[in-house]
Amino acid sequence: MLKVGLIGILVTFLSMICKKEKGEYAVLMGIGAVVLIFSFVLVQVQQAMDFLQTLINLLPLDGGALTILFKMLGITYIGEFASSICKDAGYTSLAGQIELFAKISILVLSIPCIGNILELLDSFLVS
């Protein structure tokens, strides 16, 4: 966490200094820092996924639901990541479209889960 915080602070200060003369370089430095921090996040996510995969193998759980949750988490993070880059570059309308697409993608992924819940409720109500 210390590395990520220091990278963020350093790039912020360098961007503030550089923004006065070459604003486009400030944006590029910000995007570079975001990509670098994203690589740190991917390592953490991979460790968490490895642990959860081990847990799935040990417990009698349906892996399909957890797979959907992982996909939703990935869509959320990538959507936020891309949206933030667009907002920093000044493309707020594009950022909004990315966020909307991410939300709709999550909704589409959740349809099978909603169907399973409705079937479960129907079986309880019929019994």
Side-chain angles (χ1 to χ4, degrees):
M1 180 60 207
L2 182 62
K3 288 179 188 178
V4 171
L6 290 175
I7 289 169
I9 292 170
L10 178 67
V11 170
T12 300
F13 285 133
L14 290 175
S15 294
M16 289 171 56
I17 293 169
C18 189
K19 196 176 224 178
K20 294 176 184 173
E21 295 180 24
K22 296 282 188 177
E24 61 274 6
Y25 291 143
V27 171
L28 290 176
M29 283 192 298
I31 291 172
V34 167
V35 169
L36 183 62
I37 291 171
F38 184 69
S39 68
F40 285 113
V41 169
L42 287 179
V43 171
Q44 299 291 324
V45 168
Q46 184 61 44
Q47 290 175 353
M49 288 181 65
D50 290 342
F51 171 74
L52 290 174
Q53 187 62 43
T54 304
L55 192 63
I56 290 169
N57 292 337
L58 292 175
L59 299 173
L61 295 174
D62 178 28
L66 290 175
T67 301
I68 290 173
L69 287 175
F70 281 136
K71 287 180 181 180
M72 288 179 179
L73 180 64
I75 289 170
T76 303
Y77 187 75
I78 292 170
E80 181 66 28
F81 177 76
S83 174
S84 295
I85 288 176
C86 291
K87 285 179 185 175
D88 287 345
Y91 295 100
T92 55
S93 61
L94 181 59
Q97 292 301 313
I98 291 171
E99 290 172 359
L100 178 64
F101 181 77
K103 290 173 186 175
I104 290 173
S105 297
I106 290 171
L107 176 66
V108 169
L109 271 176
S110 68
I111 289 173
C113 294
I114 293 170
N116 290 341
I117 291 170
L118 291 175
E119 287 176 11
L120 183 64
L121 288 174
D122 187 46
S123 69
F124 280 130
L125 293 175
V126 171
S127 301

